[in-house]
């Protein structure tokens, strides 16, 4: 089938899955040209096979809260594609989780993982359970109940989940404990584990650090120094925190953070000391970002988005479709020079168009945030070797991977005028690798 026919068909079959259709449309539009140059791809109906997940597991998760009430949540695992390695991708626990969101994430993950140069296929999963406001004991019971179903479908050479929104070190550890008990084996079946039981140094930092390493490569193409640049960061979770950490180290100035209730804007900059406070607030006390504004006496905007402010660089690090066309126009008009996505698909298609028309530096999540899963890949390697690498070793591998991803984007995305279309570059590079593997393995 032709690209447009596949798209029309997917729209007809999955009309209630807007995020999935959005992600698929973006990729198919960028690869159409190379796809048409390979008639063998069309002959084997490669696109349709690549867009539809290998399989999706859906299950009920029943758990008891601290008051003795019995709660029911939905659990999912989307095994999208394993042409280049075991399914790999995070688990998201958030009230908004549904099949459309997990299908878009698993689809994106397939291309992202191909870009990392490591042997990992694409998957994603999660639940509409929200850890927000739950006690540690409730989170533990939920994670155990979730794993009681999930463990049948995963394994260190089959499918290796990790964290995403609402799933951090605490949740991964509880799930790992339960898997170990059920499977009667201690294996690297999850990544993002604690350092004492097979985790990798730098994994917590990796997505945020990797995004900044990618940004540095983009800035290098225009001889721009990151020092002193005002940076708008959204979110205040794992990715946002380590994005700020690296910015501070490099002398850039992060000025904002947010959560689902609102955002803070601190024009004097989020210093190391203030970031330490945010980490304690968010990771230990599990408080709200509003408390930062109260402590440091800066602006807090309930319900607002950080893109209403101005900055030289924008680093969306919260969630999908958090930056729309109007936000993008405002950023471009007020002098933003670069956007690098820590989150998955944070910019709407209209926003991406605005950035690209203005020819500012714009990196899509599947390239810029690939450092997280890449370091998960390094964790898998260390687990297989039964060895642990030092911080320096993992960090230098991460840097090299981000530089290589940038190079692949340039190779496939640079036009005759020297403009680098990172969307096209990332999509084609990821696609070609998965496509070649699928072609070689026959019709499956
Ligand atoms: P966390 O759960 O640690 O943090 C998520 C942050 O985003 C929180 O501040 C949260 O606020 C906010 N947020 C979540 N959903 C919404 C929403 N619907 N509206 C507004 N704010 C929201 O997750 P991560 O930092 O791990 O993930 C952030 C993004 O990065 C996601 O898009 C994820 O897919 C992506 N990503 C993560 C990787 C990783 O290794 N962790 C790797 C690559 C990408 P609140 O506390 O109020 O919910
Ligand atoms: O979106 C992502 O790349 C992640 N949440 C990380 C996945 C992983 O397997 O480390």
């Amino acid at each position: 089938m032709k690209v447009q026919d596949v798209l029309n068909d997917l729209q007809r079959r999955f009309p209630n899955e807007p995020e999935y259709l959005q992600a698929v449309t973006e990729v198919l539009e960028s690869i159409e040209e190379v796809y048409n140059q390979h008639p063998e791809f069309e002959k084997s109906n490669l696109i349709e096979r690549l867009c539809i997940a290998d399989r999706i597991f859906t299950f009920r998760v029943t758990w008891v809260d601290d008051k003795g009430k019995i709660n029911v949540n939905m659990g999912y695992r989307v095994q999208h594609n394993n042409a280049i390695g075991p399914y790999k991708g995070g688990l998201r626990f958030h009230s908004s989780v549904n099949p459309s969101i997990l299908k878009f994430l698993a689809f994106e993950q397939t291309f992202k993982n191909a870009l990392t140069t490591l042997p990992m296929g694409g998957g994603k999963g999660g639940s509409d359970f929200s850890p927000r406001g739950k006690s540690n004991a409730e989170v533990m019971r939920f994670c155990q109940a979730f794993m009681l179903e999930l463990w049948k479908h995963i394994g260190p050479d089959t499918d290796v989940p990790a964290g995403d929104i609402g799933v951090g070190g605490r949740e991964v550890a509880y799930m790992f404990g339960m898997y170990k008990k059920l499977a009667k084996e201690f294996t690297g079946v999850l990544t993002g584990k604690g350092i004492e039981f097979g985790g990798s140094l730098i994994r917590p930092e990796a997505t945020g650090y990797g995004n900044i390493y990618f940004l540095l490569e983009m800035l290098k193409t225009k001889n721009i120094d990151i020092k002193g640049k005002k940076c708008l960061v959204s979110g205040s979770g794992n990715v946002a925190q380590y994005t700020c950490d690296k910015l501070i180290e490099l002398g850039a100035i992060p000025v904002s953070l947010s959560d689902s209730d609102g955002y803070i804007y601190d024009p004097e900059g989020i210093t190391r000391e203030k970031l330490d406070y945010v980490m304690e607030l968010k990771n230990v006390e599990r408080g709200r970002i509003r408390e930062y504004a109260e402590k440091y006496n800066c602006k807090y905007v309930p319900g607002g988005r950080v893109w209403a402010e101005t900055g030289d660089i924008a680093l969306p690090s919260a969630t999908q479709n958090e930056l729309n066309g109007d936000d993008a126009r405002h950023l471009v008009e007020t002098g933003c020079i670069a956007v690098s996505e820590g989150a998955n698909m944070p910019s709407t298609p209209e926003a991406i168009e605005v950035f690209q028309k203005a020819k500012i530096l714009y990196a899509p999540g599947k390239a810029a945030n690939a450092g997280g899963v890449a370091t998960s890949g390094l964790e898998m390697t260390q687990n297989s070797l039964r060895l642990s690498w030092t911080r320096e070793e993992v960090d230098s591998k991460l840097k090299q991977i981000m530089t290589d991803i940038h190079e692949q984007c340039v190779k496939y995305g640079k036009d005759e005028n020297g403009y680098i279309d990172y969307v096209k570059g990332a999509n084609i590079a990821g696609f070609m690798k998965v496509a070649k593997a699928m072609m070689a393995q026959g019709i499956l």
Side-chain angles (χ1 to χ4, degrees), residues 196-239:
E196 306 80 8
F197 52 97
S200 174
L201 291 166
I202 301 288
R203 177 63 188 90
E205 294 88 341
T207 312
Y209 280 17
N211 190 16
I212 301 303
Y213 297 152
F214 194 90
L215 172 68
L216 289 174
E217 290 300 308
M218 289 205 292
L219 293 174
K220 218 196 271 174
T221 65
K222 295 203 169 187
N223 288 318
I224 298 171
D225 191 353
I226 197 168
K227 224 178 177 157
K229 293 287 178 293
K230 248 177 80 174
C231 301
L232 293 173
V233 180
S234 66
S236 51
N238 172 270
V239 179

Side-chain angles (χ1 to χ4, degrees), residues 92 94 105 112 124 132 163-167 203 207 235-240 258-261 282 288 317-320 342-344 369 372-373:
R92 178 175 291 193
H94 192 268
L105 287 164
K112 184 196 301 190
K124 203 87 185 189
R132 184 171 164 184
D164 193 77
I165 291 177
V167 178
R203 177 63 188 90
T207 312
S236 51
N238 172 270
V239 179
S258 67
D259 59 25
S260 43
D261 296 337
K282 282 284 165 184
R288 310 306 298 160
S317 309
T319 192
Q320 66 276 352
N344 286 305
N369 73 36
V373 73

